[in-house]
Amino acid sequence: MKNDFRMQYPLWMMGFIMVLGIFLFGVNSPETTEIVNTEIEQSILVEYGVIQGFVIVGSIILYLIMLFIFYMKIRRHNKLYPTQKIPSFAIRPPEYLEQDEGMTHITRIASQKVYTFMTWSLPALAVFAMFSPLPRIYTVLAILVVALLQYVIYYREIRAHLKEEDE
């Protein structure tokens, strides 16, 4: 069970969210922004400094590398475990571990904790978005933090139960 890719899936999602957060900080502060809105032309010119450019391009490259490795791991998992294939695009999250009653129970407990977290965090996030005088970038960052925390909660719960099972 330790080598099951579905167990590593939440860690991959956390990594993707963190890289998106790095990208967010890169695009957050352009040095100049010029908006042209005439009868002939409509355009937006955004200029970034050297450091922001490296952060933006670096995070995009890192994201694409991670995406490629993630895809290769899914293919490898599907070859090794043909009865437990992970679809590349599915509505149902692949980290649900339901091969037997025990794993179904563990998945249910972890999902309940995430659901409880979302029940409180989404309304708080909505209030923050409506009444916060901060720039919109902080709302996007708060959304990324909520997404990251849901995977942290899920992973910690699954891992705690699997450690108990191994002992």
Side-chain angles (χ1 to χ4, degrees):
M1 192 71 209
K2 214 177 213 182
N3 295 327
D4 191 345
F5 181 68
R6 294 170 303 165
M7 184 63 199
Q8 300 168 9
Y9 186 84
L11 295 173
W12 279 94
M13 294 301 108
M14 287 186 252
F16 284 127
I17 290 168
M18 289 165 68
V19 172
L20 285 175
I22 293 168
F23 177 77
L24 177 70
F25 279 113
V27 298
N28 181 34
S29 53
E31 289 183 1
T32 59
T33 303
E34 180 182 335
I35 299 173
V36 178
N37 191 8
T38 64
E39 291 179 17
I40 303 169
E41 178 184 358
Q42 292 180 341
S43 63
I44 298 175
L45 173 67
V46 180
E47 290 183 20
Y48 291 100
V50 175
I51 294 173
Q52 289 102 343
F54 279 124
V55 170
I56 292 168
V57 172
S59 62
I60 290 171
I61 290 170
L62 179 60
Y63 194 88
L64 292 174
I65 290 169
M66 285 175 62
L67 198 59
F68 176 75
I69 294 169
F70 180 72
Y71 175 73
M72 296 308 289
K73 285 186 127 334
I74 287 177
R75 284 188 56 191
R76 183 170 160 239
H77 172 85
N78 289 343
K79 280 184 180 181
L80 292 174
Y81 306 101
T83 59
Q84 299 173 357
K85 286 190 174 186
I86 298 174
S88 297
F89 300 101
I91 294 173
R92 190 164 193 264
E95 65 263 24
Y96 284 178
L97 305 170
E98 298 180 331
Q99 31 307 29
D100 57 26
E101 281 185 37
M103 292 310 295
T104 301
H105 179 71
I106 292 170
T107 298
R108 185 177 61 81
I109 290 171
S111 297
Q112 283 177 339
K113 288 191 176 191
V114 169
Y115 181 78
T116 303
F117 168 71
M118 289 302 215
T119 300
W120 291 101
S121 64
L122 289 180
L125 186 59
V127 169
F128 173 76
M130 286 188 290
F131 298 113
S132 174
L134 298 172
R136 278 188 242 157
I137 199 77
Y138 292 105
T139 302
V140 176
L141 183 61
I143 291 168
L144 289 177
V145 167
V146 167
L148 180 72
L149 287 176
Q150 81 172 356
Y151 282 111
V152 168
I153 292 167
Y154 185 86
Y155 179 75
R156 288 187 62 187
E157 188 64 28
I158 294 287
R159 187 171 171 189
H161 283 287
L162 291 178
K163 274 190 174 183
E164 287 174 9
E165 216 174 73
D166 287 342
E167 294 171 359

